[in-house]
Amino acid sequence: MLELKDIHLEIDGKVILKKLNMKFEIGKRYAILGNNGTGKSTVANMIMGMEDYKPQSGKIYLDGVDITDLDMSKRAQMGITIAFQENVRFDGIRVLEYLTLGGKIKKPLDEIKSALKLVGLRDEYLKRYVDGSLSGGERKRIELASIYMLDPKYVILDEPDSGIDMMSIETINKFIDALIQRNIAVITITHREEIAINSDYAYLLCAGIVLKEGDPVEISKYYKSMCDVCEHPNEIHLVKESETI
Amino acid sequence: MRIAPDYSKEFEKIAEAYEKSGGKADNLLDKRIASIIISGDKVIGLNNVEGVEIEAGKQDLGVWAKIRILKGKKIAMPIHLCTGFLGKEGEQRINFEFIIEDGASVDFISHCSFPWSTKLTHKMIAIVKIGKNASMTYADAHFHSEEGGVTVISETHAIVDEKGRYSNTFELTRTRVGKLVVKMDVDLKEGAVANLESKVRGRSNDEISIKESLGLNGKNAHGIAKSTIVATDQTHARIINEAFGNAPYSKGHIECTEVTKGNQVDVATLPVLKVTNDLSELTHEASIGRINSKQLATLVAKGMSEEEATEFIIKGMLS
Ligand SMILES: Nc1ncnc2c1ncn2[C@@H]1O[C@H](COP(=O)(O)OP(=O)(O)OP(=O)(O)O)[C@@H](O)[C@H]1O
Ligand SMILES: [Mg+2]
């Protein structure tokens, strides 16, 4: 189990996450919902161990082991990985090299091709470069395929649907299903109800705190009816304790 | 091509050097492929094919060669230029003249390989004349010794006539550089297109100096000059990319990427854009610094070590 306990995180003196508690179990699907700037990516980056995203207080546990002070590389070795919200480009690196991390991942070609197929891309993409010549949606799909090539225990998908057309929400759901079948915990950050409602558990973030959690259908409904229209500023100091629970 | 019997031993060594630098020695013996093989100050092999006229001879401390592609001839197989130096110390001066006549088209693959030289100065001056509607690509790969005692001074002056096309790439990424001075300038006439590119990786106390210059002198001339440098250890690098927009609707883009690793490198880049015709458009991009942290994070999150990720990214940039 991956557990965030009483997380308080500030960046440049600004409070981003506050009293945050979350739990993720392997083989289960999670959704994190919330308006722009509420701290969803911050949660993701913090779990992954990105520099600048160290909590000032609170702990992160992986199967009971405190990993709060471990760097990203250690956490990756322990089975945590992420598809970042924004996907960087790599000049001169072909999709095939990218998916196998330059040969570090040794899997038969068939398996690599099925990773591509899973995200709706044809074999021809193996020869393409992971550079500016890919469209935003293609790049996103390559990123998802590269996650599929790994053997992680916890996968964070930070807005896998951004840049991918509505038709392909189904692709993303199938992709998540495929990870779940491999007994991986999938934590999906999304604004899309169609993705959120398929999860086992959902968290709704508002101004850096967990505003609601539980049944994804209910949380999605609440998010749609309340947050979509909310003019609630995402400045944490403006959120009163009483308003948020 | 036939190698004269008294050169057969020498050819074997040169072929070995050639293969080290990524060339395929078989190609040097293929009769269908025009080529010239230079060892020190000797031409040890020369092969012409239809449409190609290569003349060459000895000169003080080196070799001259005049390479002419006849009017309208499209040369199917790339011409191979193989330059080597077998001695440990010395100097080699090479003068090339390329004349690509109107409407002709040709590709060159050049390998300069000095794997055994501890103290060598290699000076190459190339004059390139590309005719109307003609096209030439020139890919030059260097392979130096690991001692760092090789000095290369490479100068190319090119003129590309109306609607001609020219591409020149220089690559020195697999070995120590030693000392490198590259100068490329191109004079582009109406509708001519040029693409200049250098990729160099510096280690230890390597010194790199590159100057690429685009003269957009004809209406609608287009040019790109690009340098990618990876500087590690105490590498010293100075890169100048220039574009001069002197004609209407000419377009130029210059780009310099210098990736640094370690805090002892000394690198600089200077973009120069000058317009004398207000219908010309010039742009530039430049960056100096460590490997993009987002690129690193993306790979480290997939289980690569920072070292592996860095190498992976650099290899891509230089490929
Ligand atoms: N590296 C950083 N430096 C400064 N501020 C940051 C940094 N990362 C996040 N923030 C701030 O923290 C807040 C939460 O940002 P975060 O990216 O986590 O939001 P989000 O919920 O993922 O939003 P979105 O839906 O737009 O992706 C924002 O106010 C943002 O500006
Ligand atoms: Mg975000």
Side-chain angles (χ1 to χ4, degrees):
Chain A
M1 188 165 62
L2 181 65
E3 202 176 353
L4 312 182
K5 262 201 129 139
D6 294 326
I7 298 291
H8 178 93
L9 188 146
E10 296 177 12
I11 298 175
D12 300 334
K14 189 178 154 203
V15 179
I16 313 288
L17 302 177
K18 206 172 150 187
K19 288 188 186 165
L20 193 96
N21 289 286
M22 290 182 172
K23 271 185 200 171
F24 309 102
E25 283 172 43
I26 56 168
K28 287 204 169 147
R29 252 178 108 135
Y30 298 86
I32 300 180
L33 294 162
N35 280 352
N36 293 131
T38 49
K40 302 180 299 298
S41 294
T42 302
V43 171
N45 295 342
M46 178 193 66
I47 295 175
M48 195 64 239
M50 284 275 283
E51 265 177 62
D52 301 340
Y53 291 88
K54 262 191 171 295
Q56 273 68 23
S57 65
K59 296 277 180 206
I60 308 169
Y61 296 102
L62 181 65
D63 296 332
V65 179
D66 181 356
I67 62 163
T68 321
D69 292 324
L70 298 186
D71 65 17
M72 178 151 51
S73 157
K74 292 253 169 51
R75 294 187 198 190
Q77 280 162 25
M78 293 172 90
I80 303 175
T81 194
I82 183 169
F84 287 110
Q85 183 168 1
E86 265 142 41
N87 303 126
V88 281
R89 313 290 175 142
F90 294 86
D91 281 335
I93 294 177
R94 287 181 197 273
V95 170
L96 177 62
E97 297 168 278
Y98 188 69
L99 295 182
T100 59
L101 300 178
K104 190 179 161 85
I105 297 176
K106 293 183 174 48
K107 288 200 170 160
L109 192 62
D110 278 353
E111 229 170 289
I112 303 169
K113 287 179 180 170
S114 53
L116 277 185
K117 198 172 169 198
L118 184 62
V119 297
L121 296 177
R122 282 168 285 118
D123 297 352
E124 288 90 90
Y125 277 87
L126 289 174
K127 284 184 275 174
R128 297 277 300 269
Y129 287 96
V130 193
D131 61 9
S133 67
L134 290 177
S135 75
E138 286 167 338
R139 176 69 189 88
K140 199 99 206 180
R141 287 165 197 257
I142 299 291
E143 199 56 27
L144 295 181
S146 90
I147 295 289
Y148 191 74
M149 293 287 292
L150 309 171
D151 289 305
K153 290 191 203 135
Y154 298 87
V155 168
I156 308 161
L157 305 175
D158 193 350
E159 300 203 18
D161 45 82
S162 75
I164 295 187
D165 39 83
M166 278 303 273
M167 285 289 286
S168 322
I169 296 293
E170 201 188 317
T171 308
I172 291 166
N173 276 327
K174 266 196 200 145
F175 173 78
I176 296 172
D177 286 343
L179 294 177
I180 296 293
Q181 268 166 32
R182 284 161 54 188
N183 209 27
I184 295 168
V186 184
I187 304 158
T188 309
I189 296 170
T190 183
H191 295 280
R192 295 263 166 83
E193 195 182 355
E194 309 92 302
I195 292 177
I197 54 168
N198 283 315
S199 31
D200 297 302
Y201 199 83
Y203 290 98
L204 174 61
L205 284 194
C206 175
I209 64 148
V210 176
L211 182 63
K212 274 191 176 298
E213 62 182 282
D215 177 53
V217 176
E218 266 174 46
I219 301 283
S220 298
K221 229 194 212 159
Y222 182 91
Y223 174 62
K224 231 182 146 185
S225 62
M226 303 296 283
C227 302
D228 262 7
V229 296
C230 176
E231 283 171 32
H232 198 148
N234 283 311
E235 294 291 331
I236 201 144
H237 59 275
L238 294 177
V239 182
K240 291 198 195 87
E241 219 68 353
S242 57
E243 282 183 295
T244 55
I245 302 166
Chain B
M1 157 177 359
R2 236 180 288 129
I3 306 293
D6 45 333
Y7 286 146
S8 65
K9 268 264 158 326
E10 189 150 357
F11 174 74
E12 270 175 37
K13 281 306 255 184
I14 285 289
E16 188 186 334
Y18 186 67
E19 299 235 319
K20 273 182 193 290
S21 67
K24 286 209 173 67
D26 285 353
N27 289 334
L28 299 174
L29 297 169
D30 190 328
K31 280 206 178 85
R32 296 164 305 163
I33 296 177
S35 61
I36 176 168
I37 309 168
I38 297 166
S39 172
D41 62 353
K42 296 186 289 291
V43 178
I44 64 167
L46 196 158
N47 188 44
N48 277 309
V49 301
E50 207 218 317
V52 178
E53 282 180 11
I54 308 177
E55 288 173 74
K58 238 179 171 164
Q59 65 178 16
D60 187 28
L61 294 173
V63 166
W64 64 269
K66 195 167 180 173
I67 299 159
R68 180 186 293 276
I69 310 300
L70 302 179
K71 197 169 168 179
K73 292 288 179 190
K74 315 268 181 222
I75 310 306
M77 313 264 253
I79 298 180
H80 286 61
L81 309 172
C82 165
T83 307
F85 192 90
L86 299 180
K88 275 193 174 313
E89 296 189 5
E91 183 170 341
Q92 182 183 44
R93 295 184 192 162
I94 307 288
N95 284 72
F96 280 141
E97 187 177 353
F98 298 89
I99 299 165
I100 318 302
E101 294 184 349
D102 292 353
S105 106
V106 63
D107 301 310
F108 290 93
I109 296 178
S110 158
H111 290 266
C112 294
S113 192
F114 318 116
W116 301 290
S117 302
T118 50
K119 200 170 164 220
L120 168 72
T121 301
H122 164 94
K123 274 189 197 161
M124 200 272 298
I125 298 181
I127 306 291
V128 176
K129 291 174 187 152
I130 298 175
K132 292 190 174 76
N133 291 305
S135 148
M136 164 174 169
T137 73
Y138 186 84
D140 192 12
H142 272 238
F143 192 91
H144 297 175
S145 70
E146 285 302 338
E147 280 85 359
V150 174
T151 296
V152 165
I153 301 167
S154 165
E155 258 181 59
T156 305
H157 309 286
I159 301 177
V160 187
D161 216 329
E162 275 170 47
K163 293 196 176 142
R165 303 179 85 84
Y166 175 51
S167 153
N168 186 338
T169 58
F170 178 89
E171 197 188 297
L172 173 43
T173 58
R174 298 166 41 152
T175 59
R176 283 282 311 271
V177 171
K179 235 186 207 169
L180 174 72
V181 180
V182 173
K183 282 186 195 160
M184 295 186 199
D185 58 61
V186 56
D187 171 359
L188 294 163
K189 308 296 189 200
E190 186 171 337
V193 177
N195 180 25
L196 311 179
E197 189 166 5
S198 319
K199 292 181 176 182
V200 181
R201 178 173 190 157
R203 276 171 266 245
S204 188
N205 58 350
D206 285 342
E207 287 179 36
I208 301 163
S209 159
I210 295 175
K211 184 170 176 180
E212 295 173 345
S213 183
L214 298 170
L216 301 153
N217 301 322
K219 194 174 154 187
N220 285 315
H222 284 201
I224 297 176
K226 227 172 149 176
S227 314
T228 306
I229 311 297
V230 173
T232 59
D233 307 323
Q234 295 93 274
T235 297
H236 181 279
R238 294 289 176 267
I239 314 300
I240 301 176
N241 306 96
E242 302 178 326
F244 300 96
N246 298 326
Y249 311 109
S250 60
K251 269 190 187 169
H253 178 70
I254 58 177
E255 197 173 321
C256 178
T257 309
E258 289 182 89
V259 170
T260 60
K261 207 178 136 200
N263 52 12
Q264 285 180 289
V265 297
D266 177 352
V267 299
T269 176
L270 181 68
V272 178
L273 300 181
K274 189 174 173 209
V275 161
T276 60
N277 184 298
D278 75 344
L279 292 172
S280 174
E281 239 178 73
L282 305 179
T283 52
H284 85 86
E285 262 175 70
S287 68
I288 297 190
R290 289 168 47 177
I291 291 205
N292 183 300
S293 63
K294 285 202 173 131
Q295 285 184 325
L296 270 182
T298 300
L299 298 171
V300 171
K302 294 184 204 296
M304 277 183 137
S305 69
E306 197 163 321
E307 203 53 37
E308 284 171 332
T310 303
E311 209 36 54
F312 187 61
I313 296 164
I314 287 176
K315 239 178 97 188
M317 289 177 61
L318 295 176
S319 72

